[in-house]
Amino acid sequence: MQTGSVTTPFGRRPMTLALVRRQAALAEIKQGKTADKWKVFRDASTAMELLGIQSNSLAVLDALLSFYPENELRQDAQLIVFPSNAQLSLRAHAMAGATLRRHIAILVEAGLVVRKDSANGKRYARKNGGGEIESAFGFDLSLLLARAEELAVLAQQVTADRAALRRAKESLTICRRDVRKLITAAMEEGADGDWQSVEDVYVALVGRIPRVPTLAGTTAILDEMQMLREEVLNRLGMLEDSQNNSTNDAHNEQHIQNSKPESLNESEPSSRAEQGAKPSSSHQPRNEQRGAFPLGLVLKACPTIVDYAPGGVGSWRDLMSAAVVVRSMLGVSPSAYQDACEALGPENAAVAVACILERANFINSAGGYLRDLTRRSECGEFSLGPMIMALLRANGKGNLKAG
């Protein structure tokens, strides 16, 4: 391989430090290194966007490689090709001269080829008496050999990203379908809850799906859509539990009335305790076993409350303990918090306090705000889901705005 010294471009083409570094890199190619030229070309083609080249640039590179007679690029071989513009244009699918020159410049800028210009700018080879090429002027393909491993890594990265994007798009399509049909079923069958708010969150989320999908953008939307699906399923699961409990309660009450008709007045006040029932030491209350939302989701939306749990928040009980501390710190009265616990359930009340803590700078009266949420919840006009999703988006995009 002919490395020689650093050469400057012919004519008005400027010299840059990047060109100096690239030409110097040619001298650092390991002795005996080889690479299949078409494998390197395929890797460059796959990584074209990362390299900043275009399809026409690849057509020119393909034409340049066709002028190198062997399939293997070798460190000890003559890697300079010297076709005329007419020859190069012909092999580049009759590309126009101006277009050809532009894409040669792109290949040089991308660090895939190096110009080695003669004194007059012509491309040619000088041979010795034995007919071997002694020196040549044209396009040096040595950078392709020098960067063979790098181009392979870039190609693998692009391939992996494409596969990940394809999987993410498929998962988003399925998850989107699930959420849409679950919400529709809940609304059409008259399930209890503020399903319109959930649908509003869904519509807003769908509206953010980019027309030109990227891996990062699609993954972000998928994460939020999966959280929304989890919330919808949790709501439907709670409704089913509630219906089952109501059926069991009615059965238990009927059983009590039938078995102890003479003690009706005594059974009525005790029935609530029996139904909610003090659990045995081996069982936790139903709400402690599962909150309305995944605990991890709540902590992502409301990370500040962890600061008020000395041992961290590893369970719903930890969250409820921290909420009591925060309730006092925010000036929420015990009665307001108790009302919220009765209306929302103790876990959801703790979640509401955690949400209020995240927005404390924008709320004049935390106690009044919680009472309003409680009242709206009792009227079926409020759901924690949209609030949690809004906080998730806000935490990922910057500061919350009052609204």
Side-chain angles (χ1 to χ4, degrees):
M1 180 190 69
Q2 298 198 11
T3 55
S5 59
V6 172
T7 59
T8 58
F10 172 78
R12 296 182 180 180
R13 291 191 297 270
M15 185 64 179
T16 66
L17 295 181
L19 289 176
V20 174
R21 288 192 294 271
R22 288 166 188 163
Q23 292 188 43
L26 302 182
E28 299 177 0
I29 300 176
K30 293 181 180 179
Q31 292 288 328
K33 182 177 182 180
T34 63
D36 185 296
K37 70 177 182 180
W38 298 121
K39 169 64 167 58
V40 177
F41 175 75
R42 288 194 297 271
D43 289 340
S45 300
T46 302
M48 59 181 292
E49 292 184 6
L50 297 180
L51 294 170
I53 61 178
Q54 305 167 17
S55 57
N56 278 347
S57 308
L58 291 172
V60 174
L61 181 60
D62 177 66
L64 287 172
L65 286 170
S66 71
F67 285 100
Y68 180 72
E70 300 179 26
N71 285 333
E72 190 175 64
L73 302 174
R74 302 195 321 274
Q75 177 269 338
D76 59 353
Q78 166 61 254
L79 296 180
I80 296 175
V81 294
F82 38 89
S84 66
N85 280 348
Q87 293 173 318
L88 192 55
S89 174
L90 184 62
R91 294 199 187 182
H93 312 295
M95 187 177 294
T99 303
L100 180 69
R101 289 190 294 273
R102 183 171 72 254
H103 287 285
I104 289 174
I106 290 175
L107 292 173
V108 172
E109 181 65 24
L112 296 178
V113 298
V114 174
R115 292 179 184 270
K116 187 175 181 183
D117 290 342
S118 65
N120 60 5
K122 301 295 183 180
R123 301 171 201 145
Y124 61 88
R126 184 179 293 112
K127 300 182 179 180
N128 58 23
E132 297 177 346
I133 295 178
E134 188 175 70
S135 61
F137 299 93
F139 301 104
D140 194 339
L141 305 177
S142 300
L143 273 179
L144 292 173
L145 177 60
R147 300 183 65 186
E149 295 86 358
E150 177 193 352
L151 294 174
V153 170
L154 291 177
Q156 291 171 4
Q157 176 186 334
V158 170
T159 300
D161 287 348
R162 286 175 180 171
L165 176 58
R166 183 173 61 253
R167 291 192 298 269
K169 289 168 63 177
E170 291 174 351
S171 297
L172 178 57
T173 298
I174 294 172
C175 188
R176 177 179 173 181
R177 180 189 66 199
D178 291 346
V179 174
R180 174 67 274 172
K181 292 193 173 183
L182 287 169
I183 294 175
T184 299
M187 296 177 76
E188 290 181 350
E189 296 181 23
D192 292 339
D194 186 4
W195 293 104
Q196 184 59 54
S197 296
V198 177
E199 184 174 44
D200 291 343
V201 173
Y202 168 79
V203 171
L205 198 53
V206 170
R208 290 169 48 209
I209 297 177
R211 290 187 177 181
V212 181
T214 62
L215 178 58
T218 303
T219 301
I221 297 295
L222 174 60
D223 288 343
E224 292 191 45
M225 190 67 75
Q226 288 174 333
M227 291 175 185
L228 184 58
R229 179 175 62 184
E230 187 70 21
E231 178 188 346
V232 171
L233 290 172
N234 280 334
R235 288 189 181 199
L236 294 175
M238 290 178 65
L239 288 173
E240 183 177 354
D241 289 346
S242 176
Q243 292 172 354
N244 291 337
N245 288 340
S246 297
T247 302
N248 292 336
D249 290 347
H251 175 76
N252 291 340
E253 183 174 352
Q254 183 66 37
H255 176 74
I256 292 172
Q257 290 175 349
N258 291 339
S259 61
K260 294 185 179 180
E262 71 281 3
S263 59
L264 180 61
N265 291 334
E266 294 180 1
S267 67
E268 287 178 349
S270 64
S271 62
R272 180 177 298 274
E274 292 172 358
Q275 294 163 10
K278 284 189 177 182
S280 64
S281 59
S282 63
H283 294 82
Q284 292 179 329
R286 179 173 60 86
N287 285 336
E288 178 67 12
Q289 293 174 350
R290 183 184 68 183
F293 307 93
L295 181 59
L297 174 65
V298 173
L299 295 180
K300 286 182 181 180
C302 310
T304 308
I305 198 167
V306 178
D307 297 337
Y308 297 87
V313 177
S315 66
W316 284 101
R317 188 175 299 279
D318 294 337
L319 181 68
M320 290 186 287
S321 298
V324 172
V325 177
V326 172
R327 185 275 303 167
S328 178
M329 184 270 294
L330 292 177
V332 176
S333 67
S335 62
Y337 188 61
Q338 180 61 34
D339 290 344
C341 288
E342 292 178 357
L344 302 171
E347 288 83 4
N348 285 344
V351 174
V353 169
C355 291
I356 291 173
L357 176 62
E358 291 296 319
R359 301 192 60 186
N361 292 337
F362 308 99
I363 297 174
N364 293 328
S365 172
Y369 192 84
L370 182 61
R371 286 190 182 278
D372 181 62
L373 296 185
T374 301
R375 178 189 59 78
R376 291 166 56 197
S377 177
E378 290 174 336
C379 297
E381 299 174 352
F382 169 72
S383 169
L384 280 170
M387 178 181 285
I388 292 175
M389 297 302 293
L391 286 173
L392 280 169
R393 290 195 296 273
N395 287 343
K397 293 187 175 181
N399 296 328
L400 286 169
K401 297 182 180 179

